[in-house]
Amino acid sequence: MPKKTSTVSPVLPWKTRILLSFVTVGMYLVRRRNGTINRRLLNMFYLKNPTTNKPQQGIKTTDITIDSTRNLWFRLFIPTIISSDVVLPVIIFFHGGGFAFLNPDFKYYDNVCRGIACNTPAVVISINYRLSPEHRLPSQYDDGFDSLKFLDETELDGFPANADLSMCFLAGDSAGANLAHNVAYRAGEVEFRRLKVIGQISIQPFFGGEERTASEIRLANGVLVTLKRTDWLWKVFLPEGENRDHEAVNVTGPRAVDIRGVKYPETMVVVGGFDPLQDRQREFYDWLKRSGKEVKLIEYPNAIHAFYLFPELPEASQFMQEAKDFVHHVSAKFSK
Ligand SMILES: *[C@@H]1O[C@H](CO)[C@@H](O)[C@H](O)[C@H]1NC(C)=O
Ligand SMILES: *[C@@H]1O[C@H](CO)[C@@H](O)[C@H](O)[C@H]1NC(C)=O
């Protein structure tokens, strides 16, 4: 019988395939039967990048603590080869990992943020929020929002003088994009002193619902994201007794927050044709439009979930360019 992989996965370079299998096996091994994650085991094969005081790719990084009692901190990516009279937008980034995995110092996220900071150019702030199952909803959302408040209120040593907090973008992928959306509408309801969220880069946001969508069924055993895995992630993220029609999961469903009257930043939604979550992401795009928000849809028909983490995939560099154009396009409307 011919192999039927072509229907659930595009042709991928061997390097990407090996890494994906490694991650898939890893995620399986660290999940205990009793619903907890074996973080000790996870740390044994976790790939970390240290901070770089000496610039790499024209970017230097430092880690800054917001609140040590909940291990809330961020990695700051500063472009060093940009002339100091160029005003830089600030991109606040939330990594993916199903709300349960990964951190800003994870090799692939460190690389992506470095890439975005260098390519745009922009100051990137990658937030280390609390993870499930140890911390459930709303810890992640609170950490996201509190990070904005901290940035608004704190004069940071070493924060570049040419970084403009009134040109702030929220960005996130997968669970991080779900988090960014939540922070975006919460931020729309308050007045910050100097910080202003003007745009959002929503990369393959992680949403769900009790009812399965066509793409979830078609790609149920696809790359990285499977129904079994996402069901587990929602279960350990949601308050006990809640189901996937909770407004944090089924964001466009009947329990959805009404954002029509809320200030919400101009958004680009990125969708991949081999991502089981694609139907929900398009629904999210439609819902934002129906709610009267400025939103743009970017489709990569051959992209798997998390494609942007793999620089060997052509869509990764296409995305970098698209994100850069978006930031420039939105910034131009707001620059003084
Ligand atoms: C789950 O199992 C691990 C290892 O067997 C144990 O250390 C942990 O306390 C258990 N947690 C719960 C909530 O049962
Ligand atoms: C959202 O929730 C409602 C029920 O509350 C359900 O009918 C609908 O199918 C859900 N949407 C998705 C995409 O799961």
Side-chain angles (χ1 to χ4, degrees):
M1 239 174 65
K3 262 170 87 180
K4 281 179 66 183
T5 48
S6 57
T7 57
V8 295
S9 163
V11 178
L12 293 168
W14 63 267
K15 193 177 157 191
T16 320
R17 281 200 181 277
I18 290 178
L19 190 76
L20 284 168
S21 342
F22 183 71
V23 172
T24 303
V25 172
M27 276 198 296
Y28 173 77
L29 289 177
V30 300
R31 267 170 44 187
R32 296 199 190 97
R33 273 163 195 279
N34 68 6
T36 61
I37 292 175
N38 189 339
R39 302 270 174 209
R40 245 205 353 215
L41 177 62
L42 180 62
N43 280 333
M44 283 164 60
F45 52 87
Y46 195 71
L47 305 163
K48 258 187 201 180
N49 277 1
T51 53
T52 52
N53 205 12
K54 260 213 304 222
Q56 269 174 26
Q57 283 175 256
I59 304 294
K60 67 175 183 186
T61 60
T62 45
D63 290 344
I64 295 174
T65 302
I66 298 176
D67 178 359
S68 56
T69 62
R70 50 178 153 152
N71 198 23
L72 180 57
W73 57 269
F74 61 87
R75 181 159 287 187
L76 177 62
F77 298 79
I78 303 175
T80 55
I81 45 177
I82 306 297
S83 143
S84 61
D85 54 5
V86 175
V87 176
L88 294 175
V90 176
I91 300 177
I92 302 174
F93 184 86
F94 302 102
H95 67 81
F99 295 113
F101 296 100
L102 309 178
N103 305 90
D105 57 8
F106 179 58
K107 182 179 163 193
Y108 291 83
Y109 276 116
D110 182 82
N111 289 345
V112 159
C113 288
R114 193 174 293 271
I116 294 173
C118 168
N119 196 54
T120 308
V123 167
V124 175
I125 290 174
S126 177
I127 309 285
N128 189 69
Y129 53 86
R130 283 171 289 180
L131 300 176
S132 62
E134 292 88 338
H135 303 278
R136 287 172 184 261
L137 183 82
S139 316
Q140 292 77 7
Y141 293 172
D142 288 346
D143 289 355
F145 184 73
D146 292 348
S147 304
L148 264 63
K149 275 207 308 217
F150 175 86
L151 291 165
D152 185 52
E153 290 163 3
T154 316
E155 293 299 334
L156 280 177
D157 268 354
F159 196 72
N162 57 333
D164 188 351
L165 279 170
S166 75
M167 293 210 292
C168 228
F169 290 76
L170 301 177
D173 68 298
S174 196
N178 175 311
L179 205 170
H181 160 63
N182 188 278
V183 171
Y185 73 72
R186 270 170 84 173
E189 292 175 318
V190 298
E191 281 297 330
F192 292 109
R193 276 191 324 164
R194 48 181 186 162
L195 184 148
K196 206 160 132 198
V197 178
I198 61 169
Q200 177 178 228
I201 302 172
S202 184
I203 314 160
Q204 302 183 302
F206 182 33
F207 297 131
E210 283 296 317
E211 198 182 287
R212 307 301 191 189
T213 67
S215 63
E216 280 176 342
I217 294 165
R218 186 171 74 247
L219 298 165
N221 297 308
V223 186
L224 217 47
V225 175
T226 65
L227 279 177
K228 235 171 143 174
R229 215 167 282 146
T230 54
D231 285 357
W232 184 85
L233 289 167
W234 290 126
K235 187 163 160 262
V236 301
F237 169 69
L238 285 169
E240 307 258 7
E242 280 289 354
N243 72 16
R244 294 189 306 272
D245 280 330
H246 188 280
E247 63 269 27
V249 186
N250 186 346
V251 290
T252 60
R255 282 172 66 181
V257 180
D258 186 357
I259 62 163
R260 279 174 303 181
V262 176
K263 236 184 349 178
Y264 193 89
E266 184 167 344
T267 297
M268 72 178 246
V269 179
V270 177
V271 174
F274 281 97
D275 185 350
L277 302 171
Q278 61 189 278
D279 287 351
R280 297 192 190 280
Q281 295 158 352
R282 288 190 200 101
E283 193 182 311
F284 176 60
Y285 161 79
D286 285 335
W287 174 73
L288 287 179
K289 266 211 334 212
R290 285 201 302 276
S291 305
K293 306 307 171 196
E294 189 100 43
V295 57
K296 162 181 185 177
L297 184 69
I298 314 279
E299 298 248 12
Y300 297 118
N302 257 325
I304 55 168
H305 193 75
F307 69 93
Y308 43 81
L309 295 181
F310 308 104
E312 63 274 21
L313 301 180
E315 290 85 359
S317 22
Q318 288 164 23
F319 162 72
M320 280 288 177
Q321 184 58 41
E322 199 76 60
K324 173 184 177 169
D325 291 347
F326 177 76
V327 170
H328 284 255
H329 161 78
V330 177
S331 298
K333 300 184 181 176
F334 287 88
S335 59
K336 294 142 220 158

